[in-house]
Amino acid sequence: MSAATDHDKAHGSEHGHGSKKSYLVGFALSGVLTFIPFWLVMAQPIGNPGLVAILIILFAVAQILVHTVCFLHVNTSGEGGWTLLAYVFTAVLLVITIAGSLWIMVHLNSNMMPGMMSGQASSTP
């Protein structure tokens, strides 16, 4: 047995790091998932900026998934399953943190600055 084979088995990479096809598919999908949001912003085919922002976020999430599967080779088997679990845990923490921060900012703005919301100046010094 060669030293490279022993090294691969020692680090749990018996299946290799990916094929040329998986890298090319990942590269093509990454290009498309980059071009479409760029086109949405530059050509402005949709008049609603909120909808464009949501679409860009969805394309960003899709690109994260493409990179994770095609380039990082994260899957549900073996050690990849633990990595996938770590990604899911990180995503849950991010959603909780972002949603909680937005919720706090909106409620602090509406509860602490009632005079500013209606356009009236506050009379307190």
Side-chain angles (χ1 to χ4, degrees):
M1 213 177 254
S2 69
T5 308
D6 290 338
H7 179 267
D8 288 343
K9 285 189 177 187
H11 291 285
S13 56
E14 299 162 338
H15 302 293
H17 291 288
S19 65
K20 189 175 184 180
K21 180 182 176 185
S22 72
Y23 287 124
L24 290 175
V25 167
F27 180 72
L29 286 173
S30 296
V32 168
L33 292 172
T34 300
F35 175 76
I36 292 174
F38 180 78
W39 174 75
L40 285 172
V41 170
M42 295 305 288
Q44 297 180 351
I46 301 172
N48 186 352
L51 180 59
V52 172
I54 290 171
L55 288 173
I56 290 173
I57 290 169
L58 290 176
F59 279 110
V61 170
Q63 192 161 102
I64 290 170
L65 294 174
V66 166
H67 285 223
T68 302
V69 172
C70 293
F71 300 124
L72 299 176
H73 311 294
V74 174
N75 53 25
T76 58
S77 65
E79 191 175 318
W82 287 107
T83 307
L84 181 63
L85 186 63
Y87 271 106
V88 169
F89 181 69
T90 302
V92 168
L93 286 179
L94 280 173
V95 167
I96 290 171
T97 302
I98 292 170
S101 297
L102 290 173
W103 181 74
I104 288 169
M105 286 188 283
V106 166
H107 283 83
L108 279 176
N109 188 37
S110 63
N111 292 330
M112 300 298 287
M113 305 293 278
M116 301 299 274
M117 296 300 286
S118 63
Q120 300 171 353
S122 175
S123 61
T124 56

